[in-house]
Amino acid sequence: MKILFINACVRAESRTKRLADKLLQMMNETYDEVCLMDIPFPVVDENFLNERARLASEEECDNPMIKLAKQFAEAEEIVIAAPYWDLSFPAALKQYLEQINVVGITFKYSEEGIPVGLCKAKSLFMVSTAGGLYAPEEYGFGYIKALAENYYGIKNVRHIKALGLDIVGADEERILLDAEKEIREIGNCFI
């Protein structure tokens, strides 16, 4: 199984990464990691879009601009670790998504102009944590789910989350252990 781990965590002691590591451990396979904090994403402007379209049309293109999209499209399982910040996820994840949305690689358009997914992934798991309880899915996970289902063709999209970690009096460890329990239940599917 070809697993892709997209790491949008920035803290050394990331609670989100802890949960993602648990899921990856339960999957019990090697994986490729894309650490978004290590990538100097270019600005997506008209020149970028024109160059990317040109490169995408080349059969044997190994340009970094296209490489991320091909890696995403070829993955059989995808795990995204992204904390919930300011009603969304870290900006680097949005930048990554802008890089991989490549017509002809991760999706194409039907004759009616509707996106048709070209990705091989059977499942996409988004792992997130939040300090508070206010974490509406439409701002973070909902965006990822809509892209996965409507553009990439990935129908099994799951959200694993731990909320309320920074509320005064919260039992942070208990909240994380409850999320790990959910991960173990998911992981049984991979055994």
Coordinates of all heavy atoms in Angstrom, one line a residue, residues 20-103:
A20 N -1.5 11.8 14.4 CA -1.2 11.3 13.0 C -0.2 10.1 13.1 O -0.4 9.1 12.3 CB -0.7 12.4 12.1
D21 N 0.8 10.3 13.9 CA 1.8 9.2 14.0 C 1.1 7.9 14.5 O 1.5 6.8 14.1 CB 2.9 9.6 15.0 CG 3.9 10.6 14.4 OD1 3.9 10.8 13.2 OD2 4.6 11.2 15.2
K22 N 0.1 8.0 15.4 CA -0.6 6.8 15.9 C -1.4 6.2 14.7 O -1.4 5.0 14.6 CB -1.5 7.2 17.0 CG -2.3 6.1 17.6 CD -1.3 5.1 18.2 CE -1.6 4.9 19.7 NZ -0.7 3.9 20.3
L23 N -2.0 7.0 13.9 CA -2.7 6.4 12.8 C -1.8 5.8 11.8 O -2.0 4.6 11.3 CB -3.5 7.6 12.0 CG -4.3 7.1 10.8 CD1 -5.3 6.0 11.1 CD2 -5.0 8.3 10.1
L24 N -0.7 6.4 11.5 CA 0.3 5.8 10.6 C 0.9 4.5 11.2 O 1.1 3.5 10.4 CB 1.4 6.8 10.3 CG 1.0 8.0 9.5 CD1 2.1 9.1 9.6 CD2 0.8 7.6 8.0
Q25 N 1.1 4.5 12.4 CA 1.5 3.2 13.1 C 0.5 2.1 12.9 O 0.8 1.0 12.7 CB 1.8 3.5 14.6 CG 2.2 2.3 15.4 CD 2.3 2.7 16.9 OE1 1.9 3.7 17.3 NE2 2.8 1.7 17.6
M26 N -0.8 2.5 13.1 CA -1.8 1.5 12.9 C -2.0 1.0 11.5 O -2.3 -0.2 11.3 CB -3.2 2.1 13.4 CG -3.3 2.3 14.9 SD -3.1 0.9 15.9 CE -4.4 -0.1 15.4
M27 N -1.6 1.8 10.5 CA -1.6 1.4 9.1 C -0.5 0.4 8.8 O -0.6 -0.4 7.9 CB -1.5 2.6 8.2 CG -2.8 3.5 8.3 SD -2.5 5.1 7.4 CE -3.8 4.9 6.2
N28 N 0.5 0.4 9.6 CA 1.6 -0.6 9.6 C 2.2 -0.8 8.2 O 2.4 -1.9 7.8 CB 1.0 -1.9 10.1 CG 2.1 -2.9 10.5 OD1 3.2 -2.4 10.9 ND2 1.9 -4.1 10.4
E29 N 2.5 0.4 7.6 CA 3.1 0.3 6.3 C 4.1 1.5 6.2 O 4.0 2.5 7.0 CB 2.1 0.6 5.1 CG 1.0 -0.5 5.0 CD 1.5 -1.7 4.2 OE1 2.5 -1.6 3.5 OE2 0.9 -2.7 4.4
T30 N 5.1 1.4 5.3 CA 6.0 2.5 5.1 C 5.2 3.6 4.4 O 4.2 3.4 3.8 CB 7.2 2.2 4.3 OG1 6.7 1.7 3.0 CG2 8.0 1.1 5.0
Y31 N 5.6 4.9 4.6 CA 4.9 6.0 3.9 C 5.9 7.0 3.5 O 7.0 7.1 4.0 CB 3.9 6.6 4.9 CG 4.5 7.0 6.2 CD1 5.0 8.3 6.4 CD2 4.5 6.2 7.3 CE1 5.5 8.8 7.6 CE2 5.1 6.6 8.5 CZ 5.5 7.9 8.7 OH 6.1 8.3 9.9
D32 N 5.5 7.8 2.6 CA 6.2 9.0 2.1 C 5.6 10.2 2.9 O 4.4 10.4 2.9 CB 6.1 9.2 0.6 CG 6.7 8.1 -0.2 OD1 7.8 7.6 0.3 OD2 6.2 7.8 -1.3
E33 N 6.5 11.0 3.4 CA 6.1 12.2 4.1 C 6.4 13.5 3.4 O 7.5 13.6 2.9 CB 6.7 12.3 5.5 CG 6.3 13.5 6.3 CD 6.9 13.5 7.7 OE1 7.5 12.6 8.2 OE2 6.7 14.6 8.4
V34 N 5.4 14.4 3.3 CA 5.7 15.7 2.7 C 5.5 16.7 3.9 O 4.4 16.8 4.4 CB 4.7 16.0 1.6 CG1 4.9 17.5 1.1 CG2 4.8 15.1 0.5
C35 N 6.6 17.2 4.4 CA 6.6 18.2 5.5 C 6.4 19.6 4.9 O 7.3 20.1 4.3 CB 7.8 18.1 6.3 SG 7.7 19.2 7.8
L36 N 5.2 20.1 5.0 CA 4.9 21.4 4.3 C 5.7 22.5 4.8 O 5.9 23.5 4.1 CB 3.4 21.7 4.5 CG 2.5 20.6 3.9 CD1 1.0 21.1 4.0 CD2 2.8 20.3 2.5
M37 N 6.2 22.5 6.1 CA 7.0 23.6 6.6 C 8.4 23.6 5.9 O 9.1 24.7 6.0 CB 7.2 23.5 8.1 CG 5.9 23.5 8.9 SD 4.8 24.9 8.5 CE 3.4 24.1 7.9
D38 N 8.8 22.6 5.2 CA 10.1 22.5 4.6 C 10.0 23.0 3.1 O 11.0 23.0 2.4 CB 10.6 21.1 4.6 CG 11.0 20.6 6.0 OD1 11.1 21.5 6.9 OD2 11.1 19.4 6.2
I39 N 8.8 23.3 2.6 CA 8.7 23.6 1.2 C 8.5 25.1 1.0 O 7.5 25.7 1.5 CB 7.5 22.9 0.6 CG1 7.7 21.4 0.7 CG2 7.3 23.3 -0.9 CD1 6.5 20.5 0.3
P40 N 9.4 25.8 0.3 CA 9.1 27.2 0.0 C 8.2 27.3 -1.2 O 8.6 27.4 -2.4 CB 10.5 27.7 -0.4 CG 11.2 26.5 -0.9 CD 10.6 25.3 -0.2
F41 N 6.9 27.3 -1.0 CA 5.9 27.4 -2.0 C 6.0 28.6 -2.8 O 6.1 29.7 -2.3 CB 4.5 27.2 -1.5 CG 4.2 25.9 -0.9 CD1 4.1 25.7 0.4 CD2 4.0 24.8 -1.8 CE1 3.8 24.4 0.9 CE2 3.7 23.5 -1.3 CZ 3.6 23.3 0.1
P42 N 6.0 28.5 -4.2 CA 6.0 29.7 -5.0 C 4.6 30.4 -5.0 O 3.6 29.7 -4.7 CB 6.3 29.2 -6.4 CG 5.8 27.8 -6.4 CD 6.0 27.3 -5.0
V43 N 4.5 31.6 -5.3 CA 3.3 32.3 -5.4 C 2.5 31.8 -6.6 O 3.1 31.7 -7.7 CB 3.5 33.9 -5.5 CG1 2.2 34.6 -5.8 CG2 4.2 34.4 -4.3
V44 N 1.2 31.5 -6.4 CA 0.4 31.1 -7.6 C -0.1 32.3 -8.3 O -1.0 33.0 -7.8 CB -0.7 30.2 -7.1 CG1 -1.6 29.8 -8.3 CG2 -0.2 28.9 -6.4
D45 N 0.5 32.6 -9.4 CA 0.1 33.8 -10.2 C -0.1 33.3 -11.6 O 0.0 32.1 -11.9 CB 1.1 34.9 -10.1 CG 2.5 34.6 -10.5 OD1 2.7 33.5 -11.2 OD2 3.4 35.3 -10.3
E46 N -0.4 34.2 -12.5 CA -0.6 33.8 -13.9 C 0.6 33.0 -14.5 O 0.4 32.0 -15.2 CB -1.0 35.0 -14.8 CG -1.4 34.6 -16.2 CD -1.9 35.7 -17.0 OE1 -1.9 36.9 -16.5 OE2 -2.4 35.5 -18.1
N47 N 1.8 33.5 -14.3 CA 3.0 32.9 -14.8 C 3.1 31.4 -14.3 O 3.4 30.5 -15.0 CB 4.2 33.7 -14.5 CG 4.3 35.0 -15.3 OD1 3.7 35.1 -16.4 ND2 5.0 36.0 -14.7
F48 N 2.9 31.3 -13.0 CA 2.9 30.0 -12.4 C 1.9 29.0 -13.0 O 2.3 27.9 -13.4 CB 2.7 30.1 -10.9 CG 2.6 28.7 -10.2 CD1 3.7 28.1 -9.7 CD2 1.3 28.1 -10.1 CE1 3.5 26.8 -9.1 CE2 1.2 26.9 -9.5 CZ 2.3 26.2 -9.0
L49 N 0.7 29.5 -13.2 CA -0.3 28.6 -13.7 C 0.0 28.2 -15.2 O -0.2 27.1 -15.6 CB -1.7 29.4 -13.7 CG -2.2 29.6 -12.3 CD1 -3.5 30.4 -12.3 CD2 -2.5 28.3 -11.6
N50 N 0.5 29.2 -16.0 CA 0.8 28.9 -17.4 C 2.0 27.9 -17.4 O 1.9 26.9 -18.3 CB 1.2 30.2 -18.1 CG 0.0 31.1 -18.3 OD1 -1.1 30.6 -18.3 ND2 0.3 32.3 -18.5
E51 N 3.0 28.0 -16.6 CA 4.1 27.1 -16.6 C 3.7 25.7 -16.1 O 4.1 24.7 -16.7 CB 5.2 27.7 -15.7 CG 6.5 26.8 -15.6 CD 7.2 26.6 -17.0 OE1 6.9 27.3 -18.0 OE2 8.2 25.8 -17.0
R52 N 2.9 25.7 -15.1 CA 2.4 24.4 -14.6 C 1.6 23.7 -15.7 O 1.7 22.5 -15.9 CB 1.6 24.6 -13.3 CG 1.1 23.3 -12.7 CD 0.4 23.4 -11.4 NE -0.9 24.0 -11.7 CZ -1.7 24.3 -10.7 NH1 -1.4 24.1 -9.4 NH2 -2.9 24.9 -11.0
A53 N 0.7 24.4 -16.4 CA -0.1 23.8 -17.4 C 0.8 23.2 -18.5 O 0.6 22.1 -19.0 CB -1.1 24.8 -18.0
R54 N 1.9 24.0 -18.9 CA 2.8 23.5 -19.9 C 3.5 22.2 -19.4 O 3.6 21.2 -20.2 CB 3.8 24.6 -20.2 CG 4.8 24.2 -21.4 CD 5.9 25.2 -21.5 NE 6.8 25.2 -20.4 CZ 7.8 24.3 -20.2 NH1 7.8 23.2 -21.0 NH2 8.6 24.3 -19.2
L55 N 4.0 22.2 -18.2 CA 4.7 21.1 -17.7 C 3.8 19.9 -17.5 O 4.2 18.7 -17.8 CB 5.3 21.4 -16.3 CG 6.5 22.4 -16.3 CD1 6.8 22.9 -14.9 CD2 7.7 21.8 -17.0
A56 N 2.6 20.1 -17.1 CA 1.6 19.0 -16.9 C 1.3 18.3 -18.2 O 1.0 17.1 -18.2 CB 0.3 19.5 -16.3
S57 N 1.4 19.0 -19.3 CA 1.1 18.4 -20.6 C 2.3 17.5 -21.1 O 2.1 16.7 -22.0 CB 0.8 19.5 -21.7 OG 2.0 20.2 -21.9
E58 N 3.5 17.6 -20.5 CA 4.6 16.8 -20.9 C 4.5 15.4 -20.2 O 4.3 15.4 -19.0 CB 5.9 17.5 -20.5 CG 6.2 18.8 -21.2 CD 7.4 19.5 -20.7 OE1 8.2 18.9 -19.9 OE2 7.6 20.6 -21.2
E59 N 4.7 14.4 -20.9 CA 4.5 13.0 -20.4 C 5.6 12.7 -19.3 O 5.2 12.2 -18.2 CB 4.7 12.0 -21.5 CG 3.6 12.0 -22.5 CD 2.4 11.2 -21.9 OE1 2.6 10.2 -21.2 OE2 1.2 11.7 -22.2
E60 N 6.8 13.0 -19.5 CA 7.9 12.6 -18.6 C 8.4 13.8 -17.8 O 9.6 14.1 -17.8 CB 9.0 11.9 -19.3 CG 8.6 10.6 -20.0 CD 8.2 9.6 -19.0 OE1 8.8 9.5 -17.9 OE2 7.2 8.9 -19.3
C61 N 7.6 14.5 -17.1 CA 8.0 15.7 -16.4 C 8.3 15.4 -15.0 O 7.5 14.8 -14.3 CB 6.9 16.8 -16.5 SG 7.4 18.3 -15.6
D62 N 9.5 15.7 -14.5 CA 9.9 15.5 -13.1 C 10.1 16.8 -12.4 O 10.9 16.9 -11.4 CB 11.1 14.6 -13.1 CG 11.3 14.0 -11.7 OD1 10.3 13.7 -11.0 OD2 12.5 13.7 -11.3
N63 N 9.5 17.8 -12.9 CA 9.7 19.2 -12.3 C 9.0 19.2 -11.0 O 7.9 18.6 -10.8 CB 9.0 20.2 -13.3 CG 9.3 21.6 -12.8 OD1 8.8 22.1 -11.8 ND2 10.1 22.3 -13.6
P64 N 9.6 19.8 -10.0 CA 9.1 19.9 -8.6 C 7.6 20.5 -8.6 O 6.8 20.2 -7.8 CB 10.0 20.8 -7.9 CG 11.3 20.8 -8.6 CD 11.0 20.5 -10.0
M65 N 7.3 21.3 -9.6 CA 6.0 22.0 -9.7 C 5.0 20.9 -10.0 O 3.8 21.1 -9.6 CB 6.1 23.0 -10.8 CG 4.9 23.9 -10.9 SD 5.0 25.1 -12.3 CE 6.2 26.2 -11.7
I66 N 5.3 19.8 -10.6 CA 4.4 18.8 -11.0 C 4.5 17.5 -10.1 O 3.6 16.8 -9.8 CB 4.6 18.3 -12.4 CG1 4.4 19.5 -13.4 CG2 3.7 17.2 -12.8 CD1 3.0 20.1 -13.3
K67 N 5.7 17.4 -9.5 CA 6.0 16.2 -8.7 C 5.1 16.0 -7.5 O 4.6 14.8 -7.3 CB 7.5 16.3 -8.2 CG 8.0 15.0 -7.7 CD 9.5 15.2 -7.4 CE 10.1 13.9 -6.9 NZ 11.5 14.0 -6.6
L68 N 4.7 17.0 -6.8 CA 3.8 16.9 -5.7 C 2.4 16.4 -6.1 O 1.8 15.6 -5.5 CB 3.6 18.2 -4.9 CG 4.8 18.7 -4.1 CD1 4.6 20.1 -3.6 CD2 5.2 17.7 -3.0
A69 N 1.9 16.9 -7.3 CA 0.6 16.5 -7.8 C 0.7 15.0 -8.2 O -0.3 14.2 -7.8 CB 0.2 17.3 -9.0
K70 N 1.7 14.6 -8.8 CA 1.9 13.2 -9.2 C 1.9 12.3 -8.0 O 1.3 11.2 -7.9 CB 3.1 13.0 -10.1 CG 2.9 13.5 -11.5 CD 4.1 13.2 -12.4 CE 3.9 13.7 -13.8 NZ 5.0 13.4 -14.6
Q71 N 2.7 12.7 -7.0 CA 2.8 11.9 -5.7 C 1.4 11.7 -5.1 O 1.1 10.7 -4.6 CB 3.8 12.6 -4.8 CG 4.0 11.9 -3.5 CD 4.9 12.7 -2.6 OE1 4.7 13.9 -2.5 NE2 5.8 12.1 -1.9
F72 N 0.7 12.8 -5.0 CA -0.7 12.8 -4.4 C -1.6 11.9 -5.2 O -2.3 11.0 -4.7 CB -1.2 14.2 -4.4 CG -2.5 14.3 -3.6 CD1 -2.5 14.6 -2.2 CD2 -3.8 14.2 -4.2 CE1 -3.7 14.7 -1.5 CE2 -4.9 14.3 -3.6 CZ -4.9 14.5 -2.2
A73 N -1.6 12.0 -6.5 CA -2.4 11.2 -7.4 C -2.1 9.7 -7.3 O -3.0 8.9 -7.4 CB -2.3 11.7 -8.8
E74 N -0.9 9.3 -7.1 CA -0.5 7.9 -7.0 C -0.7 7.3 -5.7 O -0.7 6.0 -5.6 CB 1.0 7.8 -7.4 CG 1.3 8.2 -8.9 CD 0.6 7.2 -9.8 OE1 0.6 6.0 -9.6 OE2 0.0 7.6 -10.8
A75 N -0.9 8.1 -4.6 CA -1.0 7.5 -3.3 C -2.3 6.7 -3.2 O -3.3 7.0 -3.8 CB -1.0 8.6 -2.2
E76 N -2.2 5.6 -2.4 CA -3.4 4.7 -2.2 C -4.1 5.1 -1.0 O -5.3 4.8 -0.9 CB -2.9 3.2 -2.2 CG -2.3 2.8 -3.5 CD -1.7 1.4 -3.4 OE1 -2.4 0.5 -2.8 OE2 -0.6 1.2 -3.9
E77 N -3.5 5.6 0.0 CA -4.1 6.1 1.2 C -3.4 7.5 1.5 O -2.2 7.6 1.3 CB -3.9 5.2 2.4 CG -4.4 3.8 2.2 CD -5.9 3.7 2.3 OE1 -6.6 4.7 2.9 OE2 -6.5 2.8 1.8
I78 N -4.1 8.4 2.1 CA -3.6 9.8 2.4 C -3.9 10.1 3.8 O -5.1 10.0 4.2 CB -4.1 10.8 1.4 CG1 -3.7 10.4 -0.1 CG2 -3.6 12.2 1.8 CD1 -4.3 11.3 -1.2
V79 N -2.9 10.6 4.5 CA -3.1 11.1 5.9 C -2.6 12.5 5.9 O -1.5 12.8 5.5 CB -2.3 10.3 6.9 CG1 -2.4 10.9 8.3 CG2 -2.8 8.8 6.9
I80 N -3.5 13.4 6.3 CA -3.2 14.9 6.5 C -3.2 15.2 7.9 O -4.2 14.9 8.6 CB -4.2 15.8 5.7 CG1 -4.1 15.5 4.2 CG2 -3.8 17.2 6.0 CD1 -5.2 16.2 3.4
A81 N -2.1 15.8 8.5 CA -2.1 16.2 9.8 C -2.0 17.7 9.8 O -1.1 18.3 9.3 CB -0.9 15.7 10.6
A82 N -3.1 18.4 10.3 CA -3.2 19.8 10.3 C -4.0 20.3 11.5 O -5.1 20.0 11.6 CB -3.9 20.3 9.0
P83 N -3.3 21.1 12.4 CA -4.1 21.7 13.5 C -5.1 22.7 13.0 O -5.0 23.2 11.9 CB -3.0 22.4 14.3 CG -1.9 22.7 13.4 CD -1.9 21.6 12.3
Y84 N -6.2 22.8 13.8 CA -7.2 23.8 13.5 C -6.9 25.1 14.1 O -6.8 25.3 15.3 CB -8.6 23.3 14.1 CG -9.7 24.0 13.6 CD1 -10.3 23.8 12.4 CD2 -10.3 25.0 14.4 CE1 -11.4 24.5 11.9 CE2 -11.4 25.7 14.0 CZ -11.9 25.5 12.8 OH -13.0 26.2 12.3
W85 N -6.6 26.1 13.2 CA -6.2 27.4 13.6 C -7.1 28.5 13.0 O -7.4 28.4 11.8 CB -4.8 27.8 13.1 CG -3.7 27.0 13.7 CD1 -3.7 26.2 14.8 CD2 -2.3 27.0 13.3 NE1 -2.5 25.7 15.1 CE2 -1.6 26.2 14.2 CE3 -1.7 27.6 12.3 CZ2 -0.2 26.0 14.0 CZ3 -0.3 27.4 12.1 CH2 0.4 26.6 13.0
D86 N -7.5 29.4 13.7 CA -8.2 30.6 13.2 C -9.3 30.2 12.1 O -9.3 30.8 11.0 CB -7.2 31.6 12.6 CG -6.2 32.0 13.6 OD1 -6.5 32.2 14.8 OD2 -5.0 32.2 13.2
L87 N -10.1 29.3 12.5 CA -11.2 28.8 11.7 C -10.8 28.1 10.4 O -11.5 28.0 9.4 CB -12.2 30.0 11.2 CG -12.9 30.6 12.4 CD1 -13.8 31.8 11.9 CD2 -13.8 29.6 13.1
S88 N -9.6 27.5 10.4 CA -9.1 26.8 9.3 C -8.0 25.9 9.6 O -7.9 25.4 10.7 CB -8.8 27.7 8.1 OG -8.6 27.0 6.9
F89 N -7.0 25.8 8.7 CA -5.8 25.0 8.9 C -4.6 25.9 8.5 O -4.8 27.0 7.9 CB -5.8 23.7 8.1 CG -6.4 23.9 6.7 CD1 -5.7 24.5 5.7 CD2 -7.7 23.4 6.5 CE1 -6.3 24.6 4.4 CE2 -8.3 23.5 5.2 CZ -7.5 24.1 4.2
P90 N -3.4 25.5 8.8 CA -2.2 26.3 8.4 C -2.2 26.7 6.9 O -2.6 25.8 6.1 CB -1.0 25.4 8.8 CG -1.6 24.6 9.9 CD -3.0 24.3 9.6
A91 N -1.8 27.8 6.6 CA -1.7 28.3 5.3 C -0.9 27.4 4.3 O -1.2 27.3 3.2 CB -1.2 29.8 5.2
A92 N 0.1 26.8 4.9 CA 0.9 25.9 4.0 C 0.1 24.8 3.4 O 0.4 24.4 2.3 CB 2.1 25.3 4.9
L93 N -0.9 24.3 4.1 CA -1.8 23.3 3.5 C -2.6 23.8 2.3 O -2.7 23.2 1.3 CB -2.7 22.7 4.6 CG -3.6 21.6 4.1 CD1 -2.9 20.4 3.4 CD2 -4.4 21.0 5.3
K94 N -3.0 25.1 2.4 CA -3.7 25.7 1.3 C -2.8 25.8 0.1 O -3.1 25.6 -1.0 CB -4.3 27.0 1.7 CG -5.0 27.8 0.6 CD -6.3 27.1 0.1 CE -7.1 28.0 -0.8 NZ -6.8 27.9 -2.2
Q95 N -1.5 26.3 0.4 CA -0.5 26.4 -0.6 C -0.3 25.1 -1.3 O -0.1 25.0 -2.5 CB 0.7 27.0 -0.1 CG 0.6 28.4 0.4 CD 1.8 28.9 1.1 OE1 2.3 28.4 2.1 NE2 2.4 30.0 0.5
Y96 N -0.2 24.0 -0.5 CA 0.1 22.7 -1.0 C -1.1 22.3 -2.0 O -0.9 21.8 -3.1 CB 0.2 21.7 0.1 CG 0.2 20.2 -0.3 CD1 1.4 19.7 -0.8 CD2 -0.9 19.4 -0.2 CE1 1.5 18.3 -1.2 CE2 -0.8 18.1 -0.6 CZ 0.3 17.6 -1.1 OH 0.4 16.2 -1.5
L97 N -2.3 22.5 -1.5 CA -3.5 22.1 -2.3 C -3.5 22.9 -3.7 O -3.8 22.4 -4.7 CB -4.8 22.4 -1.6 CG -4.9 21.5 -0.3 CD1 -6.1 22.0 0.5 CD2 -5.1 20.0 -0.7
E98 N -3.0 24.2 -3.6 CA -2.9 24.9 -4.9 C -1.9 24.3 -5.8 O -2.0 24.4 -7.0 CB -2.6 26.4 -4.6 CG -3.7 27.2 -4.0 CD -3.3 28.6 -3.6 OE1 -2.1 28.9 -3.5 OE2 -4.2 29.4 -3.4
Q99 N -0.9 23.7 -5.2 CA 0.2 23.1 -6.1 C -0.3 21.8 -6.7 O 0.1 21.5 -7.8 CB 1.4 22.8 -5.2 CG 2.0 24.0 -4.5 CD 2.5 25.1 -5.4 OE1 3.3 24.8 -6.3 NE2 2.1 26.3 -5.2
I100 N -1.1 21.0 -6.0 CA -1.5 19.7 -6.5 C -2.8 19.7 -7.3 O -3.1 18.7 -8.0 CB -1.6 18.7 -5.4 CG1 -2.8 19.0 -4.4 CG2 -0.3 18.5 -4.6 CD1 -3.2 17.9 -3.6
N101 N -3.5 20.8 -7.4 CA -4.7 20.8 -8.2 C -4.3 21.1 -9.7 O -4.3 22.2 -10.2 CB -5.6 22.0 -7.7 CG -6.4 21.6 -6.5 OD1 -6.5 20.4 -6.2 ND2 -6.9 22.6 -5.8
V102 N -3.9 20.0 -10.3 CA -3.4 20.1 -11.7 C -4.3 19.2 -12.6 O -4.4 18.0 -12.4 CB -2.0 19.5 -11.7 CG1 -1.4 19.6 -13.1 CG2 -1.0 20.2 -10.7
V103 N -4.9 20.0 -13.5 CA -5.7 19.3 -14.5 C -4.9 18.3 -15.3 O -3.8 18.6 -15.7 CB -6.3 20.3 -15.5 CG1 -7.1 19.6 -16.6 CG2 -7.2 21.3 -14.8

